[in-house]
Amino acid sequence: MSKDQLSDTSDDTSEKTASGDSDHPDETSWGEPRAVYEHNVAGELRELNRVLTQHSTKSRRQNSYDVEANRYSHSSDTIPVNDKQDDDGYNWLADTLNGYTTDRKKHRHPDKSLGVKFLDVTVTGIASDVVFGNTILSTMDIPGVIRQARMPQPKKTILDHISGHVAAGEMCLVLGRPGSGCTSLLKVLANHRHSFASVTGDVTYGGMSAKEASRYRGQIVMNTEEELHFPTLTVGQTMDFALSLKTPHLRFPGVTSAQFNASFKELYLKMFGISHTVSTKVGNEYIRGVSGGERKRVSIAEIMVTRATTMCWDNSTRGLDASTALDYTKCLRIMTDIMKCTNIVTLYQAGNKIYDLFDKVLIVDSGRCIYFGPQADARGYFEDMGFICVPGSNVADFLTGVTVKSERKIQPGCVVPDTVEEFEQRYKESKYYKEAMDELQDMGGDSANEKEMLENFKEAAQKEKAKHVPPKEPYTTSLWKQIKTCTIRQYQLMWGDKSSMIIKQGSTLAQALIAGSLFYDLPQNTTGLFTRGGALFMAFLFNALLGMAEVTESFSSRPIMIKHKQFAFYRPAALAISQVLSDVPLMLFQLSHFSLVLYFMCGFKVNAGNFFIFYLIIFVGSLCMNAFFRMVAAGVSTFDKASELAGTGLSILVMYTGFIIPKPSMHPWLSWLYWLNPMHYGYEALMVNEFHNTNFTCAGDSLIPQGPSYPGDQNKGCGVPGAIDGTLIVDGDAYLKLSYKYQYSHLWRNFGIIIGFWIFFVVLTMIGMERQRDLHAGASLVYRRPAPWFVRKLKALIKKDNQKQAVGQPQLIRNEAIFMWDQLNYTVNVPGGKKQLLDDVKGWVKPGQLTALMGSSGAGKTTLLDVLAQRKDEGEITGEILIDGRPPTISFQRSAGYCEQLDIHENTATVREALEFSALLRQPRTVPEAEKIAYVNIILDLLEMGDIENAIIGVPGAGLTVEQRKRVTIGVELAAKPEIVIFLDEPTSGLDGQSAFNTLRFMRKLAEAGQSVLCTIHQPSQSLFEQFDNLLLLARGGKTVYFGETGDKSSILKSYFARYGASCPPDVNPAEHMIDVVSGNASQGKDWNKIWLSSPEYTQVCQELEHLKQDCLSRPPTVGEDGHEYSMPLWYQCKLVLKRTSAALFRNNDYIFNKFTIHIAGALLNGFSFWKLGSSVADLKNVLFTVFTFIFVSPGVINQLQPLFLHRRDIFEAREKKSKMYSWKAFVFGLTVAEVPYLIICAVLYFVCWYYTVGFPNDSSIAGPLFLQMVLFEFLYTGIGQFISAYAPNEYFASLTTPLLMSILISFCGVLVPYSAIISFWRHWVYWINPFNYLMGGLLTGPVWDKTVKCTTSELARFVPPINQTCGEYLTAFLSTSSGYIVDPSVTAPSQCEFCKYSKGSDYLKTLNITKKSSGWRDIGITAIFCVSSYALVFVLMKLRSKKTKSAKAPE
């Protein structure tokens, strides 16, 4: 079909794609012809045309499309369209666009078109053929790392001298097998070069060089395979955002920007058939939203909003059925012809009708061009060369398969090229190469026509821009408009994710209430001095901890920001500013309830001025810390590195705030950190605001002497800095000056400095975000690093021994069970009631049969597979699912294979490891382990994966290719030896034609070996469809349209539909035809479900189903039942899961070394900050705080740990739990135990770097217990982080919950508020169940208990003794009940007594409620119990989260 015959096929409804069937019962087809005619909204389209084209309704009627004349009469610049009624859905589109271009000419708007020329384009990248993945040991091999760094990186050629020309108004199809370089070519042509090592050759855009074209980034765009959207935004919000940022300044007279955007929004939504989704969330794999096909169309509509002149499309029909893909290509064809844009497209499994819509074809193999020329000549070119294109096959698949020796067919007697170099040479000798070179003679666009086109383009691009946009910038709207639009979107994101917003506000209020009650009504005496400072410190610290969540949030949204930057929607700096602006009102609300509760509960100054200063400082400080963590995230490329820097940075900020180490106690070599710390300025401002002009009476242990023997205030002293001589009053300003060197005059200076830091961090964030790029250069294989020679030798011996144990050679298992289902219904709860997704579905799969499951979008194909495989955990299922006529047993889920469409795997495992893991855990326990491994070897050979068996699976783009990952998914299920049936959901989606055929050929091989296979499939060519024996065809709502044999060349299927007036033309793919019949305009208005229910075929199906039931029940079951839910015992599951998790951690260098780095950096910082502590009272407090600082190693590590836990939990819940591979108990066991060695290493690293630098005793009786307690703390906080992750719905939720829990534990551990000062409500239960309380006791007792205290001069309490009494005599009664010592007991009046309130470290510890030396070992034991309980909580919460899958209930 040529581009002049757009109407040869009808418009079909779009097919369900990656994420599942559509949830919208009223979903219409692409182009929405049924919406137009069935729902009678043609008037709406006329109004849309009027707004877009400024034509009146009367004018529109006069200039409407004349179907019989086969033309658009109102414009001379039209495209001919066939007069078939089923193509009317495209008439309004072409009519609208023709009218729009006509009015542009009428108003003398310059045209905007660019052709693309590329000459000798050569692209190189880093060679990855023999790249080995790093491990912990390989990274620690310093000499090897140095040698590798000094060696030049090997390069590989990705594209080799590619040349061509795509003119304005042309569509070029780029064909090639995966890995040929098609995506790389599109990236270069879209001017995305930064991910490659080098790009040489010339690429011009209408005569502009690539450098000059970068100024017009938004006019040269690329649509990638990935669907990158904010899942919590609705489709309408997503489109509104894009349109607002691409509103042209030059519009038709009288058309406002709001009208323009609304009109084009309606145009795109109707054009791509997603109008009904406007209020539905976009969603993703884990958040329910639109279907995968609809999400793909949202991506296409979003790039259309750019109105770019040159658009590159990378496999944009992935996951769409052939009919829907054709509809999309038709829309692209119309827009190309009318708007004169340039489209360069790569497609896999492109049908012939899609192929015929293109002007040119470029075929790439191994980075070399083997053909570039007219689409109509490509087939003949290779047929003349001697190749045979089988009738009925896809021409595109034929073109990409000519270089594959195992697939191509050659005419007898012909000599054809064998290597890609020979193909390239043949092409260069052809006329097509000469014609291409002739077109490329003028690369600079020096012809008059090209010069005029380029000038018009530049003028049009400039006129689209707002007034204040600089000419050299690619953006359409002004910076202010970008900021405004991004700010609105930030609020929409908050509203869309209400759960996270609620937990953030709830945790803030909870923390205010808890902290307020902890520091409740602080006394106005010296006992409240330290706790008052602690309350202010906690107020500042908690909001800083909340800011760490910005690291997680920044990385989750980064890919979307980079995509929008490439589309020239907005400057990343505008997003940075919008984040700050959106912070302000939310932070005002958040800190309002926080400050009101905390401030007045603590009993701070009841003065409006002081309160609002407190509120203001907390507010700007919180904004500053949010900006700090965003800056950290913006400055690095990986989340692990950001977590490392954020964790280390937080430790520095906390330690050098001035609370833990007062300024006078800081060592000079690190005191500069104090001045660079914004938290210090905020804390000082809070302190001076509270203490200024305030006097505190001396009380508690600061009052010396005290007791019944010392009435009155005479002859007493106060051991607190700032005490006024001769009184028992402490001046607040003097106390701050002597203890902290704080001054009230610094208050507003500090406020200004915090503002300065905030602006500084925001500016750095803007710079960092502007510099961020997508460095994704394409998939590359990474192999497992070989083990040391002695390990390899040991493994070889074990393997040899296992081979001896193996009995015979295992073969593919032959299945004899018949899998059947009858009257199957499935309903789910939706807003407003219930929705039925499956409606009385019947069928069966017999051994040796390959059954296809097909249908339109919303038909319930994936839903049916999920129900049959017992993978649903929501909704209601009724009907019968039978195996040999009997209900499924407890072992069914592990005995049936299910290859899901999403290829979910442990990314650090190798291909062999993934298959062996499945085989060892899912094959029966009676099968020897050696035999299971031997069976894996068979599967590897069958899937042709022997050459990549040691390759790391990785992630898409950094590991196996899409096709290789699909084979691994199939292999993982086959390795389990499924005994009943194999379900496959879209096994060919995203594959090229040859890979899809190989996959189907392998499935055919499985069926011939005796397996039962049920498979959903998209875009099957005729040759692929003929591989199936049976077909189950569903219509919307899960209604059956056909079930039965397809017949030879689909003869039975064709005859069935022909009998009811829907004959399949000879040259039409029957798979496309039947979808068109049951869901498109070719349905002729018939209800094909009713036709099926009244057909003799349906009666035969019912009879055969009953016969199969009775026959199976009359004989013994063919499937054995061992009575076990899981194939292997729990201990074996734990062993294998632990082995896999340990290997994953061993290969995860970033995670492990970041954990080590946080500990080493934190320990050195802590040790050198508290260098060689002495024996003064201040040093006692410093011992407390150096130990307390150890706690702050945990937030950074937990922040890094939780995303890893959640990622593995997602893999487990999505695939491994539902296949009954192993229990949730084994999952938790593996994740917790695998961390143990690294936690011990972390404790050792921290201990070595810290213990001796602070000057603790070398006595092993002290160092040993302290080290043991440090090890236990590593286990404790890891357990805490993991049990939060076990139940948290997502990473952001976990990152918000952790600060709340950690702040509670820190608050009640007895450091910020001593035990005696905690109010009784908390003191009698929270204090005693707080593990950090016992942690501090176990760490402090050894180093401090027997320490001799010697006060410094400033720490001594001074007072004059009574006349005729020495100091010793005067204090005899006091010393009998109190601790401390007199410097000189013989001193008499008028000289002053000098008294130190502590004589031993034990005296100080008793103030912390550590009353016995044996308490240290007691606390260590209790900490160990808390470690066990924290890990127990991981198990408990994981169990509470686990849902049991649904099974079918017998119909009532």
Side-chain angles (χ1 to χ4, degrees):
M1 184 180 74
S2 69
K3 66 180 180 180
D4 295 332
Q5 295 172 319
L6 291 173
S7 301
D8 284 355
T9 61
S10 59
D11 301 304
D12 303 325
T13 57
S14 62
E15 180 58 279
K16 173 260 151 223
T17 58
S19 67
D21 293 309
S22 171
D23 291 331
H24 309 288
D26 59 341
E27 180 180 348
T28 54
S29 66
W30 197 297
E32 302 205 15
R34 295 199 299 150
V36 174
Y37 295 98
E38 290 184 49
H39 300 290
N40 193 27
V41 293
E44 293 182 18
L45 290 175
R46 285 195 295 270
E47 176 63 18
L48 173 62
N49 293 349
R50 188 191 67 77
V51 174
L52 287 176
T53 64
Q54 293 293 291
H55 286 193
S56 66
T57 304
K58 179 179 178 181
S59 174
R60 174 58 59 202
R61 287 196 298 269
Q62 293 173 348
N63 294 321
S64 63
Y65 172 57
D66 185 348
V67 175
E68 295 181 355
N70 193 27
R71 62 185 178 86
Y72 292 89
S73 60
H74 77 279
S75 172
S76 59
D77 186 14
T78 60
I79 58 172
V81 180
N82 194 289
D83 61 356
K84 292 183 181 179
Q85 184 178 353
D86 62 6
D87 216 18
D88 283 343
Y90 297 103
N91 294 346
W92 73 266
L93 172 62
D95 198 20
T96 298
L97 295 179
N98 268 316
Y100 178 68
T101 53
T102 299
D103 283 334
R104 283 181 59 89
K105 294 177 181 178
K106 174 183 176 182
H107 294 287
R108 297 185 178 181
H109 291 189
D111 293 330
K112 192 177 65 170
S113 302
L114 282 181
V116 180
K117 295 182 179 180
F118 44 103
L119 177 64
D120 291 334
V121 172
T122 300
V123 177
T124 60
I126 305 300
S128 58
D129 297 334
V130 289
V131 172
F132 294 105
N134 284 322
T135 64
I136 296 173
L137 293 181
S138 68
T139 306
M140 295 175 66
D141 178 16
I142 304 302
V145 172
I146 295 174
R147 285 195 303 270
Q148 185 175 358
R150 295 179 63 181
M151 293 174 59
Q153 288 184 313
K155 301 289 195 302
K156 69 173 181 180
T157 300
I158 300 173
L159 296 173
D160 192 359
H161 294 86
I162 304 291
S163 302
H165 173 218
V166 185
E170 287 186 341
M171 290 173 60
C172 177
L173 177 62
V174 180
L175 295 174
R177 304 198 69 194
S180 296
C182 297
T183 299
S184 297
L185 177 61
L186 259 64
K187 283 188 174 185
V188 173
L189 297 184
N191 219 7
H192 299 170
R193 301 174 169 225
H194 46 266
S195 59
F196 303 109
S198 67
V199 178
T200 59
D202 294 327
V203 180
T204 62
Y205 305 87
M208 290 188 296
S209 66
K211 184 176 181 180
E212 185 180 1
S214 63
R215 292 170 46 189
Y216 302 95
R217 186 169 65 233
Q219 303 295 336
I220 305 167
V221 296
M222 178 176 175
N223 177 255
T224 61
E225 286 190 79
E226 295 85 3
E227 311 304 324
L228 300 174
H229 301 283
F230 285 107
T232 58
L233 292 183
T234 65
V235 172
Q237 290 169 341
T238 302
M239 292 298 297
D240 287 338
F241 177 79
L243 285 162
S244 295
L245 294 169
K246 280 294 181 179
T247 307
H249 179 67
L250 180 63
R251 299 183 297 273
F252 297 138
V255 177
T256 65
S257 60
Q259 290 174 328
F260 182 91
N261 292 339
S263 300
F264 267 94
K265 176 182 177 182
E266 187 175 2
L267 170 67
Y268 292 130
L269 292 178
K270 285 186 177 292
M271 183 164 70
F272 298 120
I274 50 177
S275 298
H276 59 285
T277 68
V278 67
S279 299
T280 307
K281 287 184 179 180
V282 176
N284 60 13
E285 295 88 344
Y286 310 109
I287 297 177
R288 188 175 180 181
V290 299
S291 72
E294 290 162 343
R295 193 175 304 120
K296 172 66 73 174
R297 291 181 244 174
V298 172
S299 298
I300 295 172
E302 185 182 47
I303 195 174
M304 288 291 188
V305 168
T306 64
R307 296 187 302 280
T309 57
T310 301
M311 291 182 279
C312 299
W313 306 84
D314 186 16
N315 197 17
S316 52
T317 61
R318 178 183 176 183
L320 301 179
D321 67 281
S323 180
T324 306
L326 176 60
D327 291 336
Y328 150 73
T329 314
K330 284 181 179 179
C331 290
L332 208 61
R333 178 76 262 173
I334 292 174
M335 295 190 72
T336 302
D337 287 333
I338 298 177
M339 308 299 289
K340 298 303 178 186
C341 52
T342 304
N343 284 283
I344 305 168
V345 186
T346 64
L347 294 176
Y348 290 153
Q349 303 182 54
N352 290 336
K353 293 173 183 176
I354 294 176
Y355 174 80
D356 290 342
L357 291 172
F358 289 87
D359 300 288
K360 294 179 178 179
V361 173
L362 190 154
I363 306 173
V364 183
D365 191 271
S366 300
R368 295 174 182 265
C369 179
I370 63 173
Y371 176 83
F372 175 71
Q375 159 269 125
D377 297 349
R379 174 176 175 175
Y381 170 79
F382 286 101
E383 286 180 329
D384 293 343
M385 200 178 290
F387 295 100
I388 299 174
C389 181
V390 179
S393 63
N394 288 344
V395 176
D397 293 344
F398 161 71
L399 297 177
T400 56
V402 293
T403 59
V404 184
K405 296 181 181 180
S406 60
E407 298 175 5
R408 63 189 186 184
K409 291 181 173 57
I410 304 173
Q411 299 173 17
C414 291
V415 179
V416 298
D418 278 337
T419 65
V420 66
E421 290 81 8
E422 292 177 3
F423 274 101
E424 182 184 42
Q425 186 59 36
R426 286 282 191 99
Y427 164 63
K428 289 186 175 179
E429 294 171 355
S430 70
K431 66 175 183 178
Y432 301 107
Y433 178 75
K434 295 181 177 62
E435 290 173 357
M437 291 300 103
D438 290 341
E439 288 182 335
L440 296 174
Q441 290 296 319
D442 180 20
M443 284 293 293
D446 294 330
S447 67
N449 184 43
E450 287 184 317
K451 284 184 176 179
E452 181 183 1
M453 185 180 295
L454 180 58
E455 290 302 318
N456 287 338
F457 165 79
K458 290 183 177 180
E459 181 184 359
Q462 185 58 39
K463 286 185 175 180
E464 283 187 349
K465 296 179 181 179
K467 291 181 179 179
H468 304 295
V469 178
K472 293 185 178 181
E473 286 198 356
Y475 306 102
T476 303
T477 55
S478 65
L479 180 62
W480 165 244
K481 179 66 179 295
Q482 297 171 29
I483 294 171
K484 176 183 175 183
T485 307
C486 289
T487 303
I488 293 172
R489 186 185 65 174
Q490 288 299 115
Y491 289 117
Q492 291 171 340
L493 288 170
M494 294 177 194
W495 187 250
D497 188 13
K498 298 183 187 68
S499 61
S500 296
M501 186 170 65
I502 291 171
I503 188 62
K504 189 171 187 179
Q505 299 303 319
S507 63
T508 303
L509 182 58
Q511 174 61 24
L513 289 168
I514 293 169
S517 61
L518 175 66
F519 298 99
Y520 184 72
D521 197 17
L522 293 169
Q524 200 69 19
N525 56 42
T526 55
T527 60
L529 288 177
F530 179 74
T531 52
R532 199 172 293 267
L536 295 171
F537 176 71
M538 278 303 301
F540 209 94
L541 176 63
F542 174 74
N543 291 285
L545 288 174
L546 281 181
M548 285 194 73
E550 296 301 326
V551 176
T552 303
E553 185 69 13
S554 295
F555 276 89
S556 64
S557 61
R558 178 174 295 184
I560 301 172
M561 184 207 70
I562 292 174
K563 180 187 78 169
H564 288 168
K565 176 185 176 182
Q566 292 170 347
F567 289 173
F569 280 174
Y570 54 83
R571 297 192 69 96
L575 176 61
I577 296 173
S578 73
Q579 289 174 334
V580 173
L581 294 178
S582 62
D583 280 344
V584 171
L586 185 68
M587 200 70 73
L588 285 171
F589 173 75
Q590 176 180 314
L591 293 178
S592 292
H593 59 73
F594 177 82
S595 299
L596 284 168
V597 171
L598 179 67
Y599 189 90
F600 293 105
M601 285 186 71
C602 290
F604 294 142
K605 285 183 177 180
V606 185
N607 179 286
N610 292 103
F611 169 76
F612 283 110
I613 290 174
F614 170 88
Y615 180 82
L616 181 63
I617 298 300
I618 293 290
F619 173 69
V620 296
S622 299
L623 291 177
C624 183
M625 294 311 300
N626 274 12
F628 169 77
F629 287 112
R630 285 198 186 113
M631 176 199 70
V632 171
V636 295
S637 58
T638 65
F639 174 77
D640 287 327
K641 181 60 66 177
S643 295
E644 174 191 337
L645 293 176
T648 304
L650 180 64
S651 298
I652 295 173
L653 293 173
V654 169
M655 186 177 298
Y656 282 88
T657 299
F659 174 73
I660 291 178
I661 311 177
K663 179 62 176 69
S665 300
M666 292 181 184
H667 291 287
W669 53 76
L670 289 176
S671 61
W672 55 274
L673 293 172
Y674 175 78
W675 300 108
L676 296 179
N677 184 356
M679 288 183 66
H680 139 238
Y681 297 98
Y683 183 61
E684 181 182 5
L686 292 175
M687 290 285 280
V688 298
N689 177 59
E690 178 63 24
F691 283 77
H692 179 59
N693 288 337
T694 304
N695 292 329
F696 299 88
T697 58
C698 198
D701 60 0
S702 300
L703 180 61
I704 301 170
Q706 56 179 300
S709 302
Y710 306 95
D713 294 338
Q714 300 299 317
N715 306 116
K716 292 183 179 181
C718 191
V720 175
I724 301 174
D725 289 341
T727 69
L728 297 181
I729 299 298
V730 177
D731 178 66
D733 290 299
Y735 169 77
L736 292 183
K737 186 172 183 179
L738 292 173
S739 299
Y740 297 96
K741 292 190 177 179
Y742 289 169
Q743 298 180 43
Y744 182 74
S745 60
H746 294 169
L747 174 61
W748 295 110
R749 180 205 70 174
N750 288 5
F751 172 76
I753 292 174
I754 297 172
I755 297 292
F757 269 111
W758 178 35
I759 295 173
F760 177 67
F761 292 150
V762 170
V763 170
L764 288 184
T765 303
M766 293 165 61
I767 295 172
M769 292 174 71
E770 287 284 348
R771 294 172 61 85
Q772 287 170 5
R773 290 180 174 180
D774 182 12
L775 300 178
H776 200 57
S780 58
L781 288 180
V782 179
Y783 290 86
R784 185 184 65 184
R785 185 170 291 274
W789 66 270
F790 56 87
V791 176
R792 293 199 300 272
K793 188 172 183 179
L794 178 63
K795 287 184 176 180
L797 292 174
I798 296 173
K799 184 177 181 181
K800 186 176 180 181
D801 184 60
N802 287 338
Q803 288 174 347
K804 291 180 180 179
Q805 296 176 16
V807 180
Q809 180 71 9
Q811 300 295 326
L812 281 174
I813 188 170
R814 184 172 184 84
N815 173 35
E816 298 180 1
I818 299 177
F819 183 76
M820 60 191 83
W821 56 96
D822 189 13
Q823 294 182 319
L824 204 59
N825 294 274
Y826 177 59
T827 58
V828 294
N829 294 321
V830 296
K834 292 187 176 183
K835 178 181 177 182
Q836 186 163 6
L837 300 181
L838 296 177
D839 186 2
D840 201 20
V841 183
K842 305 173 184 286
W844 62 80
V845 184
K846 295 180 180 179
Q849 289 185 347
L850 184 59
T851 302
L853 174 58
M854 301 181 70
S856 64
S857 181
K861 301 179 294 300
T862 298
T863 300
L864 177 59
L865 287 188
D866 288 342
V867 169
L868 293 177
Q870 293 188 356
R871 299 297 175 96
K872 290 293 186 183
D873 53 19
E874 295 179 346
E876 182 180 357
I877 304 171
T878 61
E880 292 182 301
I881 298 175
L882 305 171
I883 303 167
D884 282 342
R886 300 167 178 85
T889 61
I890 192 173
S891 62
F892 168 69
Q893 284 178 264
R894 62 177 169 84
S895 301
Y898 189 1
C899 302
E900 299 186 71
Q901 186 174 356
L902 297 176
D903 302 313
I904 302 173
H905 301 284
E906 169 56 55
N907 61 322
T908 60
T910 65
V911 173
R912 170 174 284 278
E913 288 170 348
L915 268 64
E916 288 182 354
F917 187 75
S918 177
L920 292 173
L921 284 174
R922 290 180 62 186
Q923 288 190 26
R925 61 182 68 187
T926 56
V927 178
E929 186 171 305
E931 187 174 325
K932 295 180 181 180
I933 300 300
Y935 190 76
V936 169
N937 295 332
I938 292 177
I939 301 301
L940 286 170
D941 292 338
L942 286 173
L943 291 172
E944 301 174 357
M945 293 193 299
D947 56 332
I948 61 169
E949 65 175 89
N950 290 318
I952 302 293
I953 294 175
V955 295
L960 302 183
T961 64
V962 172
E963 186 261 344
Q964 290 168 335
R965 293 173 68 86
K966 184 63 67 178
R967 281 192 282 164
V968 173
T969 301
I970 297 172
V972 165
E973 294 302 317
L974 293 179
K977 271 191 178 180
E979 300 176 357
I980 300 172
V981 65
I982 300 176
F983 304 104
L984 299 103
D985 189 15
E986 308 296 349
T988 62
S989 181
L991 306 183
D992 68 301
Q994 280 69 42
S995 299
F997 184 80
N998 290 341
T999 302
L1000 261 296
R1001 184 177 60 183
F1002 177 72
M1003 291 163 54
R1004 180 76 262 169
K1005 188 184 296 184
L1006 289 176
E1008 292 172 354
Q1011 286 283 3
S1012 303
V1013 183
L1014 179 60
C1015 167
T1016 66
I1017 188 167
H1018 274 163
Q1019 303 186 38
S1021 64
Q1022 187 168 340
S1023 60
L1024 290 182
F1025 187 66
E1026 289 174 358
Q1027 298 292 319
F1028 291 94
D1029 302 299
N1030 298 322
L1031 169 68
L1032 173 56
L1033 182 60
L1034 299 179
R1036 189 180 311 280
K1039 300 177 184 293
T1040 305
V1041 171
Y1042 178 83
F1043 176 70
E1045 297 183 17
T1046 56
D1048 182 37
K1049 296 184 179 180
S1050 306
S1051 58
I1052 298 177
L1053 178 66
K1054 290 179 180 178
S1055 64
Y1056 171 80
F1057 283 102
R1059 189 194 319 154
Y1060 297 102
S1063 301
C1064 179
D1067 59 342
V1068 174
N1069 182 350
E1072 298 179 15
H1073 172 71
M1074 66 181 181
I1075 295 292
D1076 201 20
V1077 168
V1078 301
S1079 60
N1081 291 318
S1083 65
Q1084 305 171 11
K1086 297 179 180 179
D1087 187 336
W1088 288 94
N1089 174 246
K1090 289 185 178 179
I1091 293 173
W1092 165 251
L1093 294 177
S1094 61
S1095 68
E1097 285 83 359
Y1098 174 73
T1099 304
Q1100 293 174 6
V1101 167
C1102 295
Q1103 293 172 351
E1104 177 65 14
L1105 190 57
E1106 288 301 319
H1107 172 72
L1108 289 174
K1109 291 181 185 178
Q1110 299 302 322
D1111 181 62
C1112 290
L1113 289 173
S1114 66
R1115 53 184 171 83
T1118 58
V1119 178
E1121 173 56 42
D1122 56 10
H1124 299 292
E1125 183 178 9
Y1126 299 96
S1127 176
M1128 303 304 293
L1130 182 60
W1131 71 266
Y1132 191 82
Q1133 298 173 35
C1134 293
K1135 169 188 166 184
L1136 285 192
V1137 174
L1138 175 60
K1139 179 181 177 182
R1140 183 180 72 164
T1141 309
S1142 298
L1145 286 179
F1146 186 69
R1147 295 168 186 165
N1148 194 341
N1149 282 6
D1150 286 343
Y1151 174 75
I1152 296 301
F1153 278 100
N1154 287 348
K1155 187 190 288 275
F1156 290 168
T1157 301
I1158 290 174
H1159 281 79
I1160 293 173
L1164 292 175
L1165 178 70
N1166 191 357
F1168 283 101
S1169 297
F1170 294 97
W1171 174 261
K1172 298 299 180 183
L1173 295 174
S1175 56
S1176 67
V1177 174
D1179 287 326
L1180 286 179
K1181 292 182 179 179
N1182 284 338
V1183 170
L1184 171 67
F1185 281 116
T1186 189
V1187 170
F1188 182 62
T1189 302
F1190 175 47
I1191 291 176
F1192 289 94
V1193 78
S1194 58
V1197 179
I1198 290 175
N1199 197 48
Q1200 182 190 12
L1201 173 149
Q1202 288 176 329
L1204 189 66
F1205 187 101
L1206 287 164
H1207 169 70
R1208 295 212 169 100
R1209 190 192 70 184
D1210 290 340
I1211 294 175
F1212 171 70
E1213 292 183 338
R1215 183 170 62 87
E1216 295 166 342
K1217 182 186 78 171
K1218 294 179 179 178
S1219 65
K1220 299 297 181 182
M1221 188 177 290
Y1222 56 89
S1223 167
W1224 63 269
K1225 302 171 188 175
F1227 167 76
V1228 176
F1229 176 84
L1231 257 67
T1232 53
V1233 177
E1235 292 271 1
V1236 169
Y1238 305 105
L1239 297 178
I1240 295 174
I1241 294 173
C1242 285
V1244 170
L1245 292 173
Y1246 201 100
F1247 178 84
V1248 171
C1249 296
W1250 167 70
Y1251 186 87
Y1252 300 102
T1253 54
V1254 296
F1256 281 173
N1258 293 330
D1259 190 343
S1260 60
S1261 63
I1262 296 176
L1266 188 145
F1267 171 72
L1268 176 60
Q1269 186 75 326
M1270 293 179 68
V1271 172
L1272 291 175
F1273 177 62
E1274 295 289 336
F1275 293 143
L1276 178 64
Y1277 77 72
T1278 301
I1280 291 171
Q1282 289 182 332
F1283 79 62
I1284 292 173
S1285 302
Y1287 203 74
N1290 53 53
E1291 295 175 11
Y1292 188 62
F1293 188 96
S1295 66
L1296 290 175
T1297 306
T1298 301
L1300 174 63
L1301 181 58
M1302 292 298 293
S1303 63
I1304 293 173
L1305 296 177
I1306 290 170
S1307 299
F1308 290 96
C1309 70
V1311 175
L1312 299 179
V1313 182
Y1315 173 76
S1316 59
I1318 300 175
I1319 64 173
S1320 59
F1321 175 77
W1322 298 119
R1323 185 168 65 239
H1324 295 306
W1325 67 284
V1326 172
Y1327 174 83
W1328 295 106
I1329 65 172
N1330 184 358
F1332 283 15
N1333 161 35
Y1334 303 98
L1335 169 71
M1336 295 299 297
L1339 293 173
L1340 285 171
T1341 304
V1344 177
W1345 188 269
D1346 293 322
K1347 192 179 187 69
T1348 301
V1349 180
K1350 186 176 181 180
C1351 285
T1352 62
T1353 303
S1354 62
E1355 295 169 343
L1356 294 172
R1358 293 180 174 85
F1359 52 89
V1360 178
I1363 299 174
N1364 298 326
Q1365 278 189 296
T1366 65
C1367 292
E1369 293 170 345
Y1370 176 60
L1371 296 178
T1372 299
F1374 176 71
L1375 289 175
S1376 65
T1377 58
S1378 302
S1379 61
Y1381 70 90
I1382 307 168
V1383 176
D1384 186 357
S1386 62
V1387 171
T1388 59
S1391 299
Q1392 290 184 322
C1393 298
E1394 293 181 327
F1395 182 83
C1396 182
K1397 58 184 176 181
Y1398 305 126
S1399 59
K1400 289 286 187 180
S1402 57
D1403 299 334
Y1404 175 69
L1405 292 180
K1406 289 174 183 177
T1407 65
L1408 301 176
N1409 199 35
I1410 302 174
T1411 57
K1412 299 178 182 178
K1413 189 174 182 180
S1414 60
S1415 297
W1417 278 108
R1418 180 207 67 180
D1419 291 347
I1420 290 173
I1422 295 175
T1423 303
I1425 294 173
F1426 273 108
C1427 291
V1428 174
S1429 65
S1430 66
Y1431 282 114
L1433 278 175
V1434 185
F1435 283 86
V1436 171
L1437 293 174
M1438 192 67 195
K1439 171 61 177 174
L1440 292 176
R1441 180 180 171 82
S1442 299
K1443 293 182 180 179
K1444 188 176 180 180
T1445 54
K1446 299 277 186 177
S1447 56
K1449 298 178 182 179
E1452 298 179 358

